[in-house]
Structure formats: structure tokens, C-alpha cells
Amino acid sequence: MARPATKPKADTLPGKSKSPQAGDNSVSPEQLKTFYRDMLLIRRFEERAGQLYGMGLIGGFCHLYIGQEAVVVGMQSTIDDKDSIVTSYRDHGHMLAAGMDPKGVMAELTGRSGGYSKGKGGSMHMFSREKNFYGGHGIVGAQVPIGTGLAFAHKYRGNKNVSLTYFGDGSANQGQVYEAMNMAALWKLPVVYIIENNRYGMGTSVERSTAITELYKHGEAFGIPGEAVDGMDVLAVRAAGEKAVEHAKSGQGPYILEMQTYRYRGHSMSDPAKYRTKEEVDKYRSERDPIDHVRKLLLEGKVADEAALKAVDAEIRKIVNDSAEFAQHSPEPDPSELWTDVLVGA
Amino acid sequence: MSIPVLMPALSPTMTEGKLAKWHVKVGDPVTSGQVICEIETDKATMEVEAVDEGTVAKILIEEGTEGVAVNTPICILAAEGESAADAAKSVSSTASESPAPKAEESPTAAKPSEEQKAAPPAPSSPPPAPEPEWSGKTVRMTVREALRDAMAEEMRKDGNVFLMGEEVAQYQGAYKVSQGLLEEFGDRRVIDTPITEHGFAGLGVGAGFAGLRPIVEFMTFNFAMQAIDQIINSAAKTLYMSGGQMGCPIVFRGPNGAAARVAAQHSQCYASWYAHVPGLRVLAPWSAADAKGLLKAAIRDPNPVIFLENEILYGQQFEVPDDPDFVLPIGKAKVERAGKDVTITAFSIMVGKALQAAEELAKHGIEAEVINLRSLRPFDTETIVASVKKTNRLVSVEEGWPFAGIGAELAAQMMDHAFDWLDAPVKRVAGLDIPLPYAANLEKMALPQADDIVKAAREVCNR
């Protein structure tokens, strides 16, 4: 799935978002359909990953992105293929949105040689140089200095690209995050910090972990502008993202976007889910679902009818089925792979 | 086609659970993502979502059933266009359909051979071609100048090389190692950082992933403990975890070990810490020629390199080959002094102490062979074994703590590769197993001195 062009087409459709940030946003019907398709791909892919995990075909930790799809799909629509992306271990959605092959991602989840890391990285550690996707990092917050370093490299080379550095509300309390923010502001590095606030770092709510719960304000000490965004509304995400990316690319330094979002599933597959009520989860699912939201816009705006959406569903289903099929039949890595890739040229 | 829904596992260790509740009944249509039932274990509960669309044709496990094994079919969905009755009839043993093909099943070489297991290739990989004896012109310079020249030469050669760290630019380096670099290369490439080791180490790693070649200076390796997560988890492991895609060409350098009278928090040797880690190279130069030749090699190397300098050596002078293309091979120890009676290995500042001890031993008629290890990962076992086959005795010297130190590893390597040639147990001379004290007399007693080396060598020689 290629990143769509960022410029809205002439025949635009007004974004019918409740969010104030989306008020002046408008996207083309094609763009809106792409959003729908891309979010649906992540949703269906993750559901299938959950199923394969349940069957014992995926091991270890597996952190699903279901519920948060609008964040990455909206943000990725604001950048081009020379820009860099880095995120945490909840990374499957980011890889799909960056245009990585679902087969390679799913095969890495099953630990097979056809996976992006030849089966040696797993769910939390996947990379694609080709797509400028720099991982997939398993240590909470470690990707923030790394993403700042990617921005440093853009500035060092004098290109006009940006680093999108994603992290969660849990990471937002790590010391290295603020070390990185300080340097990014000091050196005016082109980085957009996207805090995916899904309200719980594992089982601890933001209120129980964070003194100032408005995470978009966390760069204030460094003079980094920030704003809160409705992360369940892909149009609001895109509008805020365009502004932040423009800010960073024009040499004004870092920008913080706090995406207020929600994960429907547990922190990882083995999550007792005792820290929040079923009603809370149900409310988000039924009232705020990012995919239902776009589906409604498409139907109400007469951009697509039920039949057209059904065709999209079928296309996605085939992609996900093919990826699951591939991931189960790709062979396990050869034992000789134990000793490869420890060092370059050794 | 009927679609069986299987009992899922909530964790890798779960083998069975309770089917707590059904949210659907026979005849209900289900869509992808719809919650169809709840399952429980003693640790967790989970809602099971349908992955496929269809109509519930048959419920196979009633709610409230305990001990349902993972992967047991719990219900059957009829796919679109299929009658529920047909689907329900076609219930078959679908559970064990496609388990992962296990590595053990592969008939050939499913496991590494015993030989591979016994001698992992990483730390003692085949040594590169031996270092040619330098016969050209040399110049006398300090270790400090050699390090500076190495960086300057490599920065002239490759625009991707840059230096960052605390006080490296305007201050010219806390120990004046980067003297003149800001003037020559400007503040784009010689960068003063805030005091924020974890942050700038991680930033350097990101720049390395992006293809730049950062040299990250730590004011001392004692402060790099703040950054060790980025060094090990990000820099050292990512190449492997990315299946070879995402290497990190980066040098972490700075003084290591004890300086003089700065006490425990500023006086620690990290050689064995980093030498423990696959994915890193670890170098520890002694002379100015080592410093220049190895730092240039480190900067050119496509891997993360830990470069352990020594503050006391910065001001010492040595002869250095006068050639901008002089580079030393990584992974090669150097015999600094030939001898036949005992082998003494050392690295960094301890090489000087070992040579001093060798002079003293000569007075007692003991000819010691002194080996400057230089590279701790990869480790040049071959050169040491060749020496031990000649001397049949080995003394390992290091400034760091003895427990699980470089000497401990050396002793183990000798068990593996030189057991039959040893005429005495391997002897370790190391720093005392205590935080380094401040008082001058205690500090001296805590660090290995030439006398300690002499004593150990005489012991293994039994004279």
C-alpha cells in the first residue's frame, strides 16, 4: 500500500468531523477511500494476528494496534517516501501504513524465514530500509532518541525530510524522551513526536502515572509546540499532522502531537484487562470507532456505496488471508541463520 | 465451506481454559471483529473475536465448560452461501491442521553441531592477516595527538563522520583529545552536547541507522552506564534483529578505568562488560600507534565499536607510523616483547606495567613474552595460544575486577585451546574486588602494580 499523495484533489469532500482540528480539513474522495482501506487492512491484519497467536503460531509478546488505526494512517498520509519512521513494539500498524508487505510482517510474527527480519526479530523488532521504517523497538522510550537521531541525519544531510517518532503515553515518562526533546529543540531538528495516548501504559492509566496528563504540554519546558488531537478521527489526525510536518520541514524544529486514542485489546495478548471496565471499551468501540467513522463519511457523502465497500472488504480479506497463508508455510529459518547478522562483514 | 473457531491461547504457556460465556447462538450472523465468546484462565479473561464472517452453525463447547484445551474447535461458522446444517455436519478434526514445522523436523543440521556449540565463532573469529612490521618513517607523538589525528584524517576522508559529546567542540575536549577539530570541521561536524548521555548515545545510534558514522565521546566510560541500554539493546542487537538490514556504524569512545585519585564512581574498567556482548567490537589501545591505527579502523568499521582509552596514557609519547593510511587490523593482538619462559597478557595501561615487570623478571633470569591484547572482541586467542605453546605459562593482567573479568575468560580459553601445553595454572593479576578507594596508599594497593605481576610470574615459573 503506497503512501498516498499528500495534496488534496480539486473535487474535495468536506471532512465531517466533530473535532475542531478537522474543521478546515478537506480530503479528496479518493483519499478518504484510501484511509478506509488502509485502516481496514490494519484492523483485519491484527485480528488475524490475534487469531494466529491464539493458535500458538505466534509466540512471545504480541501487541495489537486495534482501535488506534486512524493515528498512523492519518500521519503517514502527510509524509513522503524519503521521510523516516520509528516506533515502539506496538508496530504492526505502522509497518503496514509504511507500505511494508503484509506477508513479510505476518511471517515475522510466526518466526519464519520469509519475515522481514528472517524470523530473528519477531513482533517487536522489524525494520525496512527500503521504506525508511527504522523499527520496531522493544525498550519503552528507546525509539525517541533514535528518532531524534534520524532527524539529526536529515538535518546533517541538508535534505528537507522529517522523522516521525511515535511513542505511547507510557514512554512519555521515560527520562531519555526529555533528553531527546531538549536536543531536538536546541538544534531545531526536523522531528514530529507523535504521542499515541491510548490512556493506559500496560495496566496503569495516565492519571495514575503522569503528573501533567496533558501530554502535548510535555515539551513546554523546551519550547516545543504541541497540540492534542482526536486520534480516533483520521481527518483530524491528517490536518494536525500536515501542520506539524510543515513546521518541522520548514526548519522550525520539533513538534508534539498528542493523539488521543484507545486500544480495544489488551496491552499484549496476555492481559487480564482488570484495570478498565468493559463498558469503557464498549463505548469506544461503538461510538468512536475510527473505521466506522470513515465508513459513515463515505456512505453519507455518497463517495462509495455498500457494494463498493464490500469490494474493499473482500480485497483486504484476500490480502490478510494470503499473508496468513504465507506466514504459516514459509519455512522456519535455517539453523545456519543462528550465526549470521551478528556483525557486518564478519 | 465451514469455518471452525478454535480455542485460543492467551499466552504462550496457556494449555487450557474455561469457556466462560457465549455472546452468540446458532443462527446468528457474525462479522469480523465481533465478540463471540469469553474465555478465562486463572490469570486472565479474554473476549474472543470472530476473524471470519459467517453464521453460527453449531456450538461445540457449551459455556461454563472448564479445561478446554487450546486449539479445540469451539464452534463452527457457516460461510456465506452455505447452509448452517451442512456446515455443522462437516465438523472434522481441523484443530491440528497446521502447526509450525519445527526446526528439529528438518533432517539435516537442525541443530548446530557440538563443535559449533563448544566454540562459538563470535569472540574468536578467524584472525585477520597478521599486522606487517612497520619499516617506514615514524613520528613521536602523544596518545592524545594520535587519537585527534585519527579522527581528523577520517573526517577529511568521509563526510559522514562526525564527533559529538560533552565539551568536544568549544572546550576542545575535557581531556583535549579533540583539540583543533572544531576549527577545522565546524560545528556541523563537531558537536557539543548537553550532559545527557542516554539521550545523545541514542541520538547517535539513530544517526548511525540512517547511514551516518558518528563518533560519540563519553567524558569517561563511567558516565556511559547511563547510556548502556542504547549501546547494547539498540546499537549492538539491531543488525541481528533486523535480519541484517539495519547496521549501526558508530564508535563510542572515551577514557576507561582508573585515572588518579578520582575514587570509585569515576574509576571503573568496563572491558569485560562490553566484551561480553555479541554485536559489539571492543578495542583497548595502549600505545599512540595502537590509538591511531585502531581508532581509524574503528571509524571505518561498519559495526558499533567500543573504544576504551585511558586518561593516564593520553600524555604519554610513542613512535607512530607517519602515514595517513596506517590502520591496524581489528582482532589482532601484538607481541610487544618476545620471551620463552612465561606469557603475560595485558591491555591498555597495563601493557606498560607488564613490560616494566618483564624488565624486572629478566634480572631474575625469567624471559617473559608480553602480549598487548588490543582487541577484546573479537579476541585473538590464536596469538595467545601460540605463545603459551612456547612458554607453557600464562599470567593475565587487567586493571578491572577479577570476577568474570577478561582474565577469567582467558583462563577458560586456555582450558579449551591450550590445556595440554600448560605447566602451571593460569594466574590472574587484577584490580582488587572492591570499589576503588580515594586515599593514595589504598588506591595504589587496589590497582595492579609491576611488582604484583613480577610476583605472579615468578609463582607460575616456580622461581
Side-chain angles (χ1 to χ4, degrees), chain A residues 124-135:
Chain A
M124 302 185 284
H125 317 108
M126 262 183 268
F127 307 81
S128 169
R129 232 184 227 296
E130 186 202 348
K131 302 292 181 188
N132 283 319
F133 179 76
Y134 289 87

Side-chain angles (χ1 to χ4, degrees), chain B residues 149-318:
Chain B
D149 287 359
M151 288 191 283
E153 285 171 15
E154 295 307 303
M155 287 175 79
R156 280 174 211 133
K157 220 167 103 18
D158 182 351
N160 283 330
V161 179
F162 69 94
L163 172 66
M164 72 188 316
E166 293 154 10
E167 310 291 3
V168 298
Q170 295 194 12
Y171 197 92
Q172 310 285 324
Y175 298 103
K176 297 288 179 283
V177 170
S178 51
Q179 190 123 36
L181 295 183
L182 174 65
E183 199 185 3
E184 179 174 353
F185 299 102
D187 62 6
R188 175 174 165 266
R189 297 181 66 193
V190 183
I191 301 151
D192 278 327
T193 64
I195 302 170
T196 180
E197 282 84 6
H198 199 183
F200 69 71
L203 192 152
V205 171
F209 287 157
L212 299 184
R213 289 182 167 261
I215 305 170
V216 173
E217 175 175 313
F218 293 115
M219 196 180 286
T220 107
F221 264 94
N222 294 284
F223 306 159
M225 269 203 284
Q226 298 256 8
I228 204 164
D229 172 65
Q230 287 287 359
I231 296 172
I232 293 173
N233 271 319
S234 302
K237 294 181 184 171
T238 298
L239 182 73
Y240 195 83
M241 295 196 303
S242 66
Q245 284 186 73
M246 199 68 71
C248 189
I250 190 168
V251 177
F252 296 102
R253 51 155 289 269
N256 170 64
R261 310 287 312 280
V262 290
Q265 287 182 342
H266 286 67
S267 311
Q268 186 174 335
C269 177
Y270 290 89
S272 74
W273 288 45
Y274 291 110
H276 187 62
V277 182
L280 292 178
R281 295 195 187 279
V282 183
L283 305 178
W286 166 58
S287 69
D290 287 352
K292 185 165 181 202
L294 289 175
L295 183 52
K296 284 166 72 83
I299 295 167
R300 291 180 191 186
D301 197 88
N303 297 290
V305 181
I306 303 292
F307 198 83
L308 303 170
E309 300 163 11
N310 183 284
E311 189 194 327
I312 293 166
L313 290 175
Y314 281 150
Q316 293 189 13
Q317 291 195 325
F318 295 85

Side-chain angles (χ1 to χ4, degrees), chain B residues 389-406:
Chain B
K389 283 183 179 175
K390 184 169 65 171
T391 64
N392 313 112
R393 291 167 175 85
L394 177 62
V395 173
S396 156
V397 186
E398 69 191 298
E399 189 181 87
W401 294 311
F403 191 90
I406 297 295

